[in-house]
Amino acid sequence: MNLRLKFTILLGLVIAVTVVLATSTVYWVARGQLEKGAAERLQQTAWLVSTQIEQRFSALLRSIEVWAQNPMVQEASLHPDSPSVIEPLNRLFADIVKGNDIYQTFNLYDVQAAIIASSIPDRVGLQIAQDVVQNREDFRAAREGRTVIKGPLMGLSGARPVIVLAVPVVRDGQVIGVLRPIVDVSDFNERFLRPLAESREERVFIFAPGVDPDGDMKPVDPTLIIETPYVAPNVPSIPEMLHNHRGVVRYKSADIWRYAAFQWMKAPHALVVVELPLKEVLSPIRYIKYAAIALAVMMLGVIWLPAGMAIRPLLANLRKCLEFVRTIRDGHMEARIKVTSHDDVGELASGLNEMVERLQTQHAELQESEMKYRSIFETAVEGIFQTTEDGRFLVANPALAGILGVDSPEMLYTYRVDQFYADPKQRAAIMDLLKRERQLSRYELDIRRLDDEVRKCLVHAHAQLDEAGRMVMMQGIMHDVTDERLAEAAQKQAEKADRLAIEARFQALRYQVNPHFLFNVLNTIDVLSRKTPIRIPYLLQQLSSYLRNTLKPNPEMTSRLEEEIQSIKAYLAVEQMRFDRHLAVTYDIAPNAAAIIIPDMLFQPLVENAVKYGMRTSGIPMKLVIAAGLQDGRLSISVRNTGRWVTEDRSRPDRPGIGLANLRERLEIFYHHDFSFKTSEENGWVSIAIRLPLNPLFFFQSSK
């Protein structure tokens, strides 16, 4: 073997080894940079998405708490069997679900877990749903008066993972129902998280380890219409994801290696996973290794050519490639290789140029993601912060500066956190809680601004600890709720004022009833004193009984029906003394109606009008029938007398209708619009019929 051949072979080997080493160096350096950049971007996206999801569910929970105070919801909880109340509420819930794609269903349950109203009306009273819900922890917590976000958990009704928001419906300090909207995790991932992915290959989803159903699990609720079957995220069980609050892992799923950043949320307690296939991360350098192999084979194929013709341009071009690798390593991505040859080294140069262009594209995407995050950071209405354990500000946005009364975020870096606490003890309490729990949510504290104004704020924060358990920094968001708290206090004060005004108005209406009767009694005593004075003691005895029943203190303004009948009997005994045998009274009171609670002095104006105008228009004797009983779950009251209905004469001060108008106004206070009041005249009889619920909708508070 001559020297030229040896040199040629040696040169070929050197060239081949150089090409392989250069390409491998570029490949692994570029791969490391791409993996590092992808990990940082994915982790940043996971934190941002988890924060947005927690804020979204917190806002949903607040809106549901407002719905729990809605009169329609409370009315339905009190009257679950009333179609006139339930059907509008079903339509309202359906409109809520239709207008907010985040909900699967929106349901109102009674305390026994039976569905009262639902966005799917066929679910009302469904026994299957009641059997499932009554054993749920979220329902039991809401029934005890707590507001919770539970999940993800496996919805047995639809065999799909769901997140439950449970809010108690409270009236007069008692839980009378539970609002329990359902969020389908799969729909939430598809409709709200999938659009957040920055590429077709990237996936953003909520993942709940251990919650996915078995393959043979089927829905048990026939009213739920599932448009697409649930497909569980193909994520393997990785201990690091179960034991760490956040991080980046690599795993193989569906025969594809993937990078995934994860972040645990507190409410709901679930993982946010941002996943990208490894081949997508490494796509800018996908063809480098193939180009290196091709180049080495081609170089060995042409190595037999004269060394003098090939070695000089080859070495020159290889030198350019090596210099280009160093340039990329130094971060100068704008550089390009200028090689005019069309040999293997020229192809290598083209491959390296293509790789750099892909790297530049990836770098631009990373910068765009950073700009999006910066835009959210700068324009957020909540204050965003990062501080050290000793209270130095590391990061602050304009909203935080505004809350603390500082002109700009940069000025905050000259202050310490403890300078803004109205109560320094709250700072120590927050740090202790973060060290124990690593995070806190909706923590309310008083902030003293630089202008000494004290504001109430809600803080959500979590602590970042090192391996030794020492706090490195804390980060989170702050929301000024001072105006909300003032509005809540003003609303409570207004409600108290309204109640006092209604109570004073009812007292005035009640005492308008008594004078009508007293004038008539005085006239009767005057007549008896001249004709039969011996009957006056009996008259006074009945009058005393009547006044004892009507004038006794009664702060609640209500009484049992049997007590009202006793008072009316005393009243009519006095009137029978006045009219003698010209007045005949009949009572038809059902025993099961005796204990029903009704407004005080309900019968008085009815009976008084019947006697007053019936004696004018009826034959002798005037017949009066007083009846009360239960009918279709309501109290029916009627007062009938012989005679005619007297037409109203507005020129007379004692015209008919004043007492009845008084009564209508009092019924409006107690029952709002949920009562009927009908008058009729037929076959020589005048009748007034009233139908009432078995329980008043309004109660006065006793002085005690």
Side-chain angles (χ1 to χ4, degrees):
M1 185 180 295
N2 58 33
L3 183 60
R4 183 182 183 90
L5 181 57
K6 291 181 179 178
F7 180 77
T8 302
I9 294 174
L10 180 60
L11 182 61
L13 292 175
V14 171
I15 292 174
V17 171
T18 302
V19 170
V20 171
L21 289 177
T23 307
S24 298
T25 302
V26 172
Y27 177 83
W28 288 106
V29 170
R31 176 170 179 161
Q33 293 295 322
L34 287 173
E35 290 182 354
K36 180 180 178 181
E40 292 176 353
R41 180 180 68 83
L42 292 175
Q43 194 165 21
Q44 187 179 56
T45 302
W47 179 83
L48 184 60
V49 171
S50 66
T51 301
Q52 291 177 337
I53 292 174
E54 289 179 330
Q55 292 176 358
R56 182 73 178 270
F57 274 92
S58 178
L60 287 175
L61 198 62
R62 290 196 297 272
S63 68
I64 297 169
E65 290 173 344
V66 173
W67 279 113
Q69 301 173 6
N70 186 281
M72 290 181 65
V73 174
Q74 298 214 350
E75 192 75 6
S77 299
L78 292 173
H79 303 286
D81 297 326
S82 175
S84 62
V85 176
I86 299 303
E87 291 177 1
L89 192 57
N90 287 339
R91 291 191 295 271
L92 176 62
F93 285 176
D95 291 340
I96 293 174
V97 173
K98 183 178 180 181
N100 191 340
D101 289 339
I102 196 171
Y103 294 125
Q104 180 195 72
T105 61
F106 202 101
N107 308 303
L108 172 64
Y109 296 79
D110 64 16
V111 295
Q112 302 300 325
I115 298 180
I116 300 174
S118 174
S119 57
I120 305 176
D122 291 341
R123 301 194 77 203
V124 174
L126 190 63
Q127 186 62 40
I128 295 175
Q130 182 176 4
D131 295 339
V132 172
V133 171
Q134 65 184 353
N135 296 318
R136 292 294 195 186
E137 292 181 9
D138 60 280
F139 177 79
R140 294 199 298 266
R143 191 169 56 186
E144 295 171 0
R146 289 179 287 152
T147 298
V148 295
I149 301 177
K150 188 68 176 178
L153 52 86
M154 183 50 55
L156 299 181
S157 298
R160 298 164 69 88
V162 297
I163 297 173
V164 179
L165 298 93
V167 175
V169 179
V170 180
R171 186 178 182 117
D172 296 332
Q174 297 293 326
V175 176
I176 59 176
V178 175
L179 273 178
R180 192 172 180 267
I182 302 297
V183 177
D184 189 296
V185 173
S186 180
D187 287 347
F188 186 87
N189 287 338
E190 182 68 22
R191 296 179 182 177
F192 295 93
L193 298 188
R194 184 176 182 180
L196 298 179
E198 298 184 4
S199 68
R200 290 190 306 171
E201 301 295 333
E202 185 176 291
R203 290 200 307 166
V204 182
F205 56 90
I206 292 177
F207 176 56
V211 174
D212 291 336
D214 298 330
D216 58 351
M217 186 172 184
K218 303 298 182 183
V220 300
D221 188 346
T223 65
L224 287 178
I225 300 175
I226 307 301
E227 297 180 357
T228 58
Y230 172 69
V231 179
N234 192 359
V235 179
S237 178
I238 300 177
E240 186 177 353
M241 296 179 71
L242 300 178
H243 300 105
N244 294 341
H245 179 67
R246 59 184 301 191
V248 178
V249 295
R250 187 169 67 172
Y251 54 78
K252 192 172 185 181
S253 172
D255 295 328
I256 298 176
W257 283 100
R258 304 175 188 272
Y259 257 109
F262 64 91
Q263 176 89 31
W264 277 99
M265 298 182 294
K266 184 175 182 180
H269 184 65
L271 273 174
V272 171
V273 179
V274 182
E275 179 189 271
L276 190 65
L278 183 59
K279 66 178 182 180
E280 184 73 10
V281 176
L282 303 180
S283 60
I285 57 174
R286 182 182 305 168
Y287 301 105
I288 293 297
K289 59 183 179 181
Y290 302 111
I293 295 173
L295 180 60
V297 172
M298 293 178 66
M299 289 295 295
L300 291 175
V302 299
I303 203 65
W304 301 101
L305 294 176
M309 298 176 59
I311 194 65
R312 184 173 297 177
L314 179 62
L315 291 176
N317 290 336
L318 286 176
R319 190 179 299 110
K320 290 180 181 180
C321 291
L322 290 174
E323 291 175 355
F324 181 59
V325 170
R326 297 189 186 96
T327 302
I328 295 175
R329 188 181 300 171
D330 293 337
H332 301 288
M333 297 292 181
E334 71 281 357
R336 295 292 183 273
I337 302 177
K338 296 181 180 179
V339 177
T340 58
S341 63
H342 300 286
D343 54 14
D344 294 341
V345 179
E347 291 184 10
L348 174 62
S350 298
L352 292 174
N353 284 334
E354 182 181 352
M355 179 198 70
V356 173
E357 290 176 358
R358 290 177 179 270
L359 287 174
Q360 275 191 312
T361 302
Q362 189 77 10
H363 183 68
E365 291 177 353
L366 290 174
Q367 286 184 326
E368 184 179 357
S369 298
E370 183 177 357
M371 291 179 62
K372 288 181 180 179
Y373 171 75
R374 175 57 59 180
S375 175
I376 295 174
F377 179 80
E378 295 291 342
T379 60
V381 296
E382 298 85 1
I384 303 176
F385 62 87
Q386 284 184 348
T387 66
T388 61
E389 183 179 11
D390 59 0
R392 291 181 292 109
F393 285 98
L394 299 176
V395 175
N397 70 336
L400 182 68
I403 292 174
L404 300 180
V406 181
D407 294 337
S408 67
E410 290 74 15
M411 291 185 62
L412 281 176
Y413 301 141
T414 62
Y415 294 91
R416 301 179 74 86
V417 173
D418 49 13
Q419 293 178 257
F420 296 98
Y421 280 87
D423 183 1
K425 294 180 180 179
Q426 288 187 320
R427 163 74 174 170
I430 289 177
M431 297 304 294
D432 289 342
L433 184 59
L434 284 174
K435 290 178 180 179
R436 292 195 314 270
E437 305 291 339
R438 294 195 177 188
Q439 59 184 351
L440 56 85
S441 179
R442 296 184 61 82
Y443 190 96
E444 186 167 319
L445 63 128
D446 294 332
I447 292 297
R448 186 179 300 278
R449 293 161 45 97
L450 288 185
D451 55 7
D452 285 336
E453 180 183 0
V454 176
R455 308 285 293 182
K456 288 191 175 296
C457 296
L458 287 180
V459 175
H460 307 260
H462 70 273
Q464 184 173 342
L465 308 181
D466 58 17
E467 295 180 355
R470 295 185 297 269
M471 184 182 296
V472 178
M473 69 175 180
M474 60 177 288
Q475 56 188 1
I477 59 176
M478 177 183 294
H479 178 57
D480 189 340
V481 296
T482 305
D483 295 338
E484 295 178 16
R485 296 294 181 265
L486 292 176
E488 291 171 359
Q491 182 179 1
K492 291 180 180 178
Q493 189 66 25
E495 290 174 353
K496 180 179 179 181
D498 289 343
R499 178 174 287 275
L500 292 176
I502 292 174
E503 185 173 350
R505 177 170 159 231
F506 186 82
Q507 286 282 12
L509 292 171
R510 181 178 183 272
Y511 289 122
Q512 287 178 9
V513 176
N514 293 324
H516 295 287
F517 175 61
L518 295 178
F519 293 145
N520 292 334
V521 171
L522 292 176
N523 290 333
T524 303
I525 293 175
D526 180 58
V527 172
L528 291 178
S529 66
R530 294 193 299 270
K531 294 183 177 180
T532 54
I534 194 172
R535 301 175 66 185
I536 291 178
Y538 176 76
L539 174 63
L540 293 177
Q541 181 181 6
Q542 297 300 320
L543 175 62
S544 174
S545 175
Y546 170 73
L547 293 178
R548 184 164 51 251
N549 290 329
T550 57
L551 298 181
K552 65 182 178 181
N554 188 5
E556 289 80 10
M557 307 298 178
T558 59
S559 59
R560 296 194 306 274
L561 185 140
E562 61 183 353
E563 295 175 343
E564 284 291 296
I565 295 300
Q566 291 176 0
S567 177
I568 289 301
K569 287 182 177 180
Y571 167 79
L572 289 175
V574 174
E575 291 294 71
Q576 285 178 316
M577 292 283 294
R578 175 184 175 193
F579 295 109
D580 201 6
R581 287 173 292 181
H582 293 180
L583 175 61
V585 182
T586 302
Y587 296 94
D588 183 13
I589 309 299
N592 59 357
I596 300 298
I597 301 299
I598 60 175
D600 201 13
M601 297 186 72
L602 185 148
F603 282 93
Q604 176 66 32
L606 300 176
V607 174
E608 184 176 342
N609 272 11
V611 173
K612 181 176 182 180
Y613 298 106
M615 294 302 296
R616 295 182 184 176
T617 61
S618 171
I620 303 300
M622 188 204 87
K623 298 178 181 179
L624 175 62
V625 178
I626 301 173
L630 301 183
Q631 184 178 0
D632 297 332
R634 298 175 76 87
L635 177 64
S636 295
I637 295 172
S638 66
V639 176
R640 302 170 59 244
N641 65 275
T642 54
R644 291 180 293 99
W645 187 263
V646 178
T647 304
E648 181 177 356
D649 183 359
R650 295 187 177 275
S651 64
R652 296 180 55 184
D654 62 339
R655 66 182 184 271
I658 295 179
L660 299 184
N662 181 313
L663 177 58
R664 284 178 181 270
E665 191 168 358
R666 289 192 293 132
L667 291 176
E668 186 71 29
I669 292 174
F670 275 99
Y671 301 100
H672 302 170
H673 299 291
D674 191 18
F675 71 92
S676 64
F677 191 104
K678 298 180 179 179
T679 62
S680 62
E681 180 179 352
E682 185 178 359
N683 298 328
W685 284 81
V686 175
S687 175
I688 297 179
I690 301 175
R691 285 176 57 82
L692 305 172
L694 298 184
N695 293 294
L697 302 180
F698 178 85
F699 287 94
F700 288 100
Q701 301 295 328
S702 66
S703 59
K704 184 181 299 185

